[in-house]
Structures are given as structure tokens and as C-alpha cells.
Amino acid sequence: MRKFIWAAGALGLASAFTATSVKACTTVVVGKKATTDGSTLVARNEDVGAWSKHFYVHQATSNGPTTYVSEDNGLKTSLPKTALRYTSTPDGEQVNGQWIFGENGISEASMLDVILPYIHSAKEGVQRLGQIVEKQGSAENNGVIFSDKNEIWYMEIGSGHTWAAVRVPDNKYAVIPNQMVIGKLNLKDSKNYMASTNLVKKVKAWSQNKKIKLAGYVKGTVNYSKAFGTNDKTDAIYNRPRMWDGQRILTPSKKQSITKKSYTLFLKPDKKVSPAKVGQVLSSHFTGTKYSSYGKWKAGYRPINVPTDVESHILQIRNNVPKEYAAIQWLAMASPANSVYMPFYTNISDTPSQYKVDGDYQDPTNTKSAYWTYKTTAMVVEAYKHKKFIDSSTGKKTDLIYKDVNPTKKAVTK
């Protein structure tokens, strides 16, 4: 599955989503009271393979199309005439400006165009997408993040027409792998929880259906991840270790085993979190632990940072500056371990030419492409990951791939 990150610059609004596909992403969200400057932070690695990513600005309009029709599955939905300016980081290859997946209902292929330009707050984003899912269905399971300067909402789409969302506590963070993680829903608390219409009744009925026997329903409440997610042997290798690693970095005082069957979703960080710290999480391949790996997973555990990263981003919405400069999109092409998080104000009118090179989709020889510049660097470094070098400062042998040898990266991400 392809993944996207969006930012609406006009209002300081951000949204991201990740599908629960095989080659999947890692998400980090941090509430405003848990950050160093009071900003909200949402971030993620996009892991799919080796094809280019582009970076575009979509201009605001007051006379836009009022109907959207998906090129891949014919999904048809109405749109307001007024659309906000927003940025996107799509794949380098599209068909008629869209992605071709061939699925029913709303999918990540369509969410970019029908959600972000028409919402004015994080909560409104959940509501708009939720209404479409309930009415027209979803093409796949998705995790979706919406944020504004005040709050962050994390939403999961569990089946064709059902969804749930939870507000990220202001003083906490979450590291979310490719696994459903929203637990027990307290739908009486509308300030912090939302869900599709009659979700509890539906899950109860499905739990009592002898053919379905859906889990997650207990005494009038629903545990969403138990109802629609998994927590099996695959997750023990592929998903939960990423939560362990992220929580190890942000809350080192909490000692946990990488083999735990479940982790608390929202935790308080030991120290306030900066964009650079989030970048450290997204660059981690169990760095500094006995499981440290990059190209090859040690002990079979899948790290946060992998060679299949095609881009990484951190969306920061600040509260201490004028709103027109509040949103910053930190964008690292290819793997963040071998790239640089470049900051862009999301109220920009255009993006650098190197970030939108035509014809570079699967062409690593295209030296004008920002994506392939960073991807090639990663490929060169990867070739030496098992080589031992002499550290001039200590005289000892060292493996350079596990060292941060890029001073530019340090400077830019401060």
C-alpha cells in the first residue's frame, strides 16, 4: 500500500494515515504538553520499497470541483467548492493525478483529495472521514492521524463501515506500529472518544453470531483492537518490538521486555520531546541495544527504521508563533537514518524542483531527484554495514552505520 502525509498550511492543520498493509509504517504522536515548545507533533516513516516520492503544494480554491470520482474503483462523493491549500508527498507516479489500487469504498488513494482540504480542525477531520466510511465503506483497514495546534486525534478503520478514534492526551505520546492499538472505548466521554454509529450494538451482535464470534465486547463496552485487530505471533516479531523500541527511547525509566504481549498505548516521556527526538525514534533500528540491526533483523524483530523507508516526516504545529507560520513539515526523503529532515513552512507556494522531478519513479540514476540522492546514499552506506573501520578518535574498530556521522543532520533537526 502507498502512504501519504498531508499538511494544510492556511490553518495550521495536519493529517496523516497509514494502512495496515504488509510493508507498513511506524507512527509517532506527541501531545502539546509533552513537547519542548508546546507544539503538537505527528510523524511517521513510510515503508514501501524503492520508488521515488515527490513533494507538492496544492493551492487553495473557492471554485473547485463539487464531485470526486475515484479513478481506481469508481468511488463517488460530493465536495465543497472551497478547498484549503495543502501539501502532499505522493509517489512519483500517478494516473490522472490519482493512485490506482482497485478496491471498493474510500481508500488511502482517495482520502487525500476528499478529506484534508475541507476540514478546519483535527476533530472535524475524524468526523468527515467517519461519515464517508459509514455511508460508503472503506477499502482497507487504516490508521489515520489528524492534528491541529490544540489536539491530536488517532482514528482506526476496522472494517467496511466501522471506525473508532481517541484523542491523544496532551501530556503523553504514542508509538504506533502496523497494528490496531485503540483499546477500550469510553464513548460516554465524547471529548476523548468517537466511534461509528451504533458500534457497541454491532460488535455485541457480531460477538453473539456463531459464525462470526467477534471478540472485544464486554458488558456494554468495546475493545476496538481486540474486535478488529490482531495480536499474534506475527505481531510479536513485526509490530510490538517497534512499540518497545520507541518507548525505550522516550521513556527509558520504564523497563520493559521486547517480548511483552502488550504495551500501554499512551505514555509520559521522561523528558519533553522535540522534533529531533522524534527523528531519533524514526531513525532507530534498535540502536544501542543487543537487537541493533538495519538491513537484517536480529532475533527476527522488525525495527522502526528499515531500508524500505521511502520518506519520513514530522509535522509540527506551534502555538507560540503567528498562525501563518505555525505549521512546519520536516521531510526526510528515503531512510531517515541516512537522510536529513528538511524543514518547510506549509504556507509555501511551491516546493523545490528537486522534490518533483518527472520520470524518476524507478530511476536511481536521476541525479536531479532529491529522493534518489538520499536513497543512493543509503544504498552505499548499506553496502558497508558489516565492515569494521578504525575510529580516529578512539583507535578502536567501529561499525559506521550505527554512528550519526552527519553533522548537517544534527544542525537541521535542532
Side-chain angles (χ1 to χ4, degrees):
M1 295 292 183
R2 296 162 175 82
K3 319 293 188 296
F4 309 92
I5 187 76
W6 324 317
L11 295 171
L13 179 71
S15 178
F17 68 93
T18 174
T20 54
S21 57
V22 176
K23 291 184 178 179
C25 314
T26 306
T27 294
V28 179
V29 295
V30 189
K32 63 183 180 181
K33 292 183 179 179
T35 60
T36 54
D37 63 353
S39 61
T40 56
L41 296 173
V42 301
R44 57 190 278 277
N45 284 350
E46 180 180 356
D47 313 333
V48 285
W51 54 70
S52 66
K53 300 293 294 185
H54 287 174
F55 180 36
Y56 296 121
V57 172
H58 305 263
Q59 300 300 336
T61 179
S62 59
N63 191 30
T66 57
T67 301
Y68 174 90
V69 179
S70 171
E71 292 283 345
D72 62 340
N73 62 14
L75 172 76
K76 185 176 182 180
T77 190
S78 60
L79 303 172
K81 285 186 177 181
T82 301
L84 300 175
R85 180 184 65 249
Y86 62 103
T87 64
S88 67
T89 54
D91 288 353
E93 184 175 67
Q94 305 176 56
V95 177
N96 295 330
Q98 294 186 21
W99 317 104
I100 306 302
F101 287 176
E103 296 160 329
N104 295 318
I106 190 167
S107 69
E108 51 188 307
S110 302
M111 289 183 190
L112 174 66
D113 296 318
V114 304
I115 304 298
L116 186 66
Y118 309 104
I119 59 176
H120 300 80
S121 69
K123 192 169 187 177
E124 188 179 335
V126 175
Q127 293 168 334
R128 177 170 172 79
L129 179 55
Q131 290 171 355
I132 294 175
V133 169
E134 288 190 56
K135 183 178 180 180
Q136 299 179 266
S138 175
E140 68 257 321
N141 292 12
N142 275 319
V144 190
I145 307 98
F146 295 96
S147 72
D148 54 42
K149 69 176 184 178
N150 296 313
E151 61 182 7
I152 304 169
W153 281 84
Y154 176 62
M155 176 183 186
E156 291 182 342
I157 303 171
S159 70
H161 296 268
T162 65
W163 59 271
V166 59
R167 185 183 183 276
V168 177
D170 290 340
N171 63 341
K172 296 183 179 181
Y173 71 90
V175 178
I176 305 170
N178 186 227
Q179 181 182 20
M180 289 200 165
V181 293
I182 295 180
K184 185 178 178 180
L185 300 173
N186 180 9
L187 297 179
K188 293 182 180 179
D189 180 6
S190 59
K191 182 180 178 181
N192 295 298
Y193 295 90
M194 291 189 283
S196 51
T197 305
N198 296 323
L199 176 66
V200 176
K201 290 182 179 179
K202 290 178 180 178
V203 173
K204 179 181 180 180
W206 291 332
S207 69
Q208 296 173 345
N209 187 306
K210 294 181 179 180
K211 293 183 179 180
I212 301 175
K213 295 181 179 179
L214 194 70
Y217 175 81
V218 178
K219 297 180 180 180
T221 63
V222 168
N223 184 307
Y224 200 75
S225 61
K226 286 186 177 180
F228 299 103
T230 61
N231 196 13
D232 53 24
K233 293 181 179 179
T234 299
D235 296 308
I237 295 172
Y238 195 79
N239 288 312
R240 295 200 299 269
R242 284 183 272 169
M243 294 187 75
W244 173 84
D245 197 25
Q247 293 183 0
R248 172 188 69 88
I249 294 171
L250 297 179
T251 312
S253 62
K254 188 175 180 63
K255 306 303 180 182
Q256 305 181 98
S257 169
I258 198 172
T259 59
K260 278 188 67 173
K261 292 185 178 180
S262 65
Y263 297 92
T264 302
L265 175 57
F266 298 117
L267 287 181
K268 290 183 179 180
D270 284 356
K271 298 180 179 179
K272 299 285 187 176
V273 180
S274 66
K277 196 67 176 181
V278 173
Q280 179 186 343
V281 173
L282 294 177
S283 300
S284 179
H285 32 81
F286 304 119
T287 310
T289 76
K290 64 181 179 180
Y291 308 109
S292 182
S293 63
Y294 183 63
K296 185 177 181 180
W297 307 351
K298 289 190 177 180
Y301 297 136
R302 195 267 199 199
I304 293 172
N305 179 248
V306 289
T308 54
D309 291 343
V310 290
E311 60 92 13
S312 181
H313 45 257
I314 304 169
L315 298 187
Q316 178 184 20
I317 305 180
R318 302 175 294 172
N319 285 282
N320 57 352
V321 297
K323 66 179 182 180
E324 58 266 30
Y325 305 112
I328 299 177
Q329 183 169 348
W330 300 83
L331 179 60
M333 289 297 191
S335 170
N338 306 289
S339 185
V340 175
Y341 283 100
M342 295 297 294
F344 296 93
Y345 288 118
T346 60
N347 66 349
I348 55 178
S349 58
D350 199 0
T351 59
S353 60
Q354 296 89 342
Y355 285 78
K356 49 185 180 180
V357 177
D358 289 336
D360 69 335
Y361 184 59
Q362 290 184 317
D363 180 14
T365 66
N366 197 322
T367 58
K368 294 182 179 180
S369 168
Y371 170 82
W372 285 113
T373 297
Y374 288 115
K375 187 66 175 179
T376 302
T377 301
M379 293 166 65
V380 171
V381 174
E382 169 69 6
Y384 290 93
K385 69 174 182 173
H386 297 304
K387 302 290 184 181
K388 294 295 181 180
F389 298 87
I390 300 297
D391 188 329
S392 60
S393 63
T394 64
K396 296 180 180 180
K397 290 184 178 181
T398 183
D399 189 343
L400 287 187
I401 196 167
Y402 300 135
K403 294 188 68 177
D404 188 351
V405 296
N406 192 336
T408 303
K409 180 178 179 181
K410 289 183 177 180
V412 171
T413 54
K414 283 184 177 178

